[in-house]
Amino acid sequence: MRALPEKWHGLKDVELRYRHRYIDLIANPKAREIFKTRSKAIKSLREFLESKGFMEVETPILQTVASGAMAKPFITHHNALDMDMYLRIAPELYLKMLVVGGFNRVYEIGRNFRNEGIDTTHNPEFTMVEFYAAYMDYYDLMELTEELMRKILIDTVGSLKIVWEGVELDFSKPFRRLPFFEALKEKTGKDKQFFLNEENARKFAKEVGIPKAETLTHLKLLDKLFEHFIEEDLVQPTFVIDFPKILSPLAKTHRNDPDLVERFELIINKQEIANAYTELNDPEDQRERFLQQLKEKAAGDEEAMDIDENFLMALEYGLPPTGGEGIGVDRLVMMLTDSSSIREVILFPTLRPEGD
């Protein structure tokens, strides 16, 4: 009943391609290849984790507490129970409760939902894999992540060197490890103690032009300074390690520095691909961190976490030393397919209603 568009490859309205993806897939071989590569990447990811003894599980998407990550949640209402619920922002707390229960290696691949802006690297619903391993720490996870990335590259594109947005990336060498505050000092000349002082951080953020610096919480100031000075210069695969404790409410205090936590982010071509840490398993420390999050929320941070009493109870029963990691599948596929927008790698990305 409808004729396919003529000269489809010359069509410049990319939103029309995303809105009517079925036509895009009929007419555009490159679009089909992107989603074949996505399927291969997820298969490779599963194979790797299964080979390391991880068990795939499923945890709730409808949750009663918005926690597990710092993000503004989507809120819905359950009519029969007459209660508000949240679309999950992360499966983290449930997965750690399974480790408490004796499943020492678990993972989940699934959708998360965050009520935030839409741009080339963010979609309100997105796919992540999160995995947790008892008796691992963030050093073990860095080794595991390098091995995982190399397997996925070989399985999907057949090479450890790829081009993403005009930049050649080399995964054959050990990934660089860059401490958070050392990187900031290298760029600004200011040391850790300077940035841990909220007044200093705010004044400096204003000087370098961070938007709305006067209204941001200390946590947000550090996050924006990280993006401004560090993230934008990291192209080759790099682990940024040893984050400030205030930025990481679920991570374990660093074994050598009480101001830091044992956490890393994997940055590739200026994009955060993975986030991991040695998990905080002290219930008293975790409660204090949650209470600090409530203070951040009271100060206006809509992304701060709520207290999850069920999770705290699980920690009181005992979480073994554990390492946990989350990898953004959509951004990973962007890298593998040389895509510049997250909408290119999600079959049906979020769009405004047609006509708006």
Side-chain angles (χ1 to χ4, degrees):
M1 294 177 69
R2 290 178 184 265
L4 291 174
E6 293 182 15
K7 300 179 182 177
W8 182 258
H9 292 285
L11 188 66
K12 294 182 179 180
D13 186 351
V14 292
E15 185 162 318
L16 193 61
R17 288 180 47 227
Y18 304 148
R19 193 178 300 282
H20 303 292
R21 179 69 83 184
Y22 44 90
I23 305 177
D24 186 27
L25 294 171
I26 291 170
N28 187 350
K30 183 181 177 183
R32 293 198 299 275
E33 287 305 312
I34 285 174
F35 294 104
K36 288 178 183 178
T37 299
R38 182 184 178 108
S39 180
K40 288 179 185 176
I42 293 173
K43 180 185 178 189
S44 177
L45 178 60
R46 275 198 170 95
E47 288 174 349
F48 178 85
L49 291 172
E50 297 284 345
S51 74
K52 298 295 183 180
F54 287 85
M55 180 178 76
E56 186 169 11
V57 297
E58 294 172 300
T59 62
I61 289 176
L62 278 178
Q63 301 184 352
T64 56
V65 179
S67 203
M70 291 188 290
K72 186 177 179 182
F74 284 95
I75 304 173
T76 187
H77 188 79
H78 192 292
N79 290 334
L81 295 177
D82 191 23
M83 58 187 273
D84 286 342
M85 300 187 79
Y86 306 93
L87 296 181
R88 75 171 174 207
I89 53 181
E92 176 165 344
L93 303 191
Y94 283 97
L95 291 173
K96 285 192 279 194
M97 285 189 275
L98 293 177
V99 179
V100 170
F103 290 129
N104 281 352
R105 295 194 174 192
V106 293
Y107 77 96
E108 182 171 10
I109 301 173
R111 285 289 215 221
N112 292 344
F113 304 83
R114 299 183 183 178
N115 200 349
E116 57 193 11
I118 298 174
D119 59 30
T120 56
T121 60
H122 293 87
N123 194 67
E125 57 174 313
F126 59 97
T127 303
M128 281 190 70
V129 58
E130 290 203 18
F131 52 92
Y132 293 81
Y135 312 109
M136 279 192 177
D137 63 15
Y138 77 140
Y139 291 113
D140 299 313
L141 289 175
M142 281 187 263
E143 298 293 334
L144 193 74
T145 302
E146 288 195 35
E147 188 181 349
L148 170 61
M149 288 293 167
R150 292 185 182 114
K151 173 178 167 49
I152 291 175
L153 282 161
I154 292 298
D155 288 350
T156 56
V157 299
S159 173
L160 295 180
K161 293 184 179 180
I162 59 172
V163 175
W164 185 15
E165 296 185 296
V167 177
E168 184 177 83
L169 302 172
D170 187 355
F171 290 81
S172 64
K173 303 171 184 175
F175 297 1
R176 182 186 181 194
R177 299 184 182 187
L178 180 65
F180 182 98
F181 281 113
E182 285 185 23
L184 267 182
K185 186 173 183 180
E186 184 180 301
K187 294 289 184 181
T188 67
K190 311 292 186 183
D191 63 11
K192 179 185 76 172
Q193 294 308 320
F194 176 88
F195 287 108
L196 289 180
N197 180 291
E198 183 173 354
E199 188 176 325
N200 288 344
R202 190 177 309 282
K203 182 179 178 183
F204 185 72
K206 288 180 183 178
E207 290 173 0
V208 299
I210 301 295
K212 301 179 181 178
E214 64 280 354
T215 63
L216 296 176
T217 63
H218 192 194
L219 182 158
K220 284 293 182 185
L221 287 168
L222 291 176
D223 191 39
K224 295 298 181 184
L225 288 166
F226 168 74
E227 292 176 5
H228 183 80
F229 283 106
I230 303 175
E231 202 168 73
E232 283 301 305
D233 285 342
L234 299 180
V235 176
Q236 296 302 320
T238 302
F239 293 121
V240 178
I241 65 173
D242 302 342
F243 278 66
K245 184 182 289 188
I246 191 174
L247 269 177
S248 314
L250 297 168
K252 194 163 192 170
T253 302
H254 197 283
R255 64 197 73 183
N256 298 321
D257 188 333
D259 293 328
L260 307 178
V261 291
E262 296 189 352
R263 172 186 171 188
F264 71 78
E265 283 189 5
L266 174 60
I267 308 295
I268 303 173
N269 198 21
K270 308 177 186 179
Q271 303 285 345
E272 177 198 336
I273 302 296
N275 182 33
Y277 30 85
T278 308
E279 301 297 334
L280 177 56
N281 60 347
D282 179 338
E284 294 180 359
D285 190 354
Q286 184 63 82
R287 182 176 291 279
E288 289 301 314
R289 306 274 195 97
F290 278 149
L291 291 172
Q292 180 60 42
Q293 285 288 296
L294 292 185
K295 292 178 183 177
E296 296 286 334
K297 183 166 283 191
D301 186 353
E302 293 181 312
E303 297 184 349
M305 295 184 213
D306 291 330
I307 294 180
D308 190 324
E309 291 291 349
N310 190 33
F311 175 64
L312 289 171
M313 180 184 291
L315 291 186
E316 289 171 356
Y317 280 98
L319 173 68
T322 298
E325 180 167 349
I327 299 175
V329 172
D330 306 305
R331 291 187 189 177
L332 179 63
V333 177
M334 286 173 64
M335 179 187 78
L336 295 170
T337 58
D338 190 18
S339 298
S340 58
S341 171
I342 197 170
R343 293 182 177 190
E344 291 286 350
V345 303
I346 297 175
L347 279 166
F348 300 101
T350 303
L351 302 168
R352 292 182 184 276
E354 200 161 9
D356 278 12

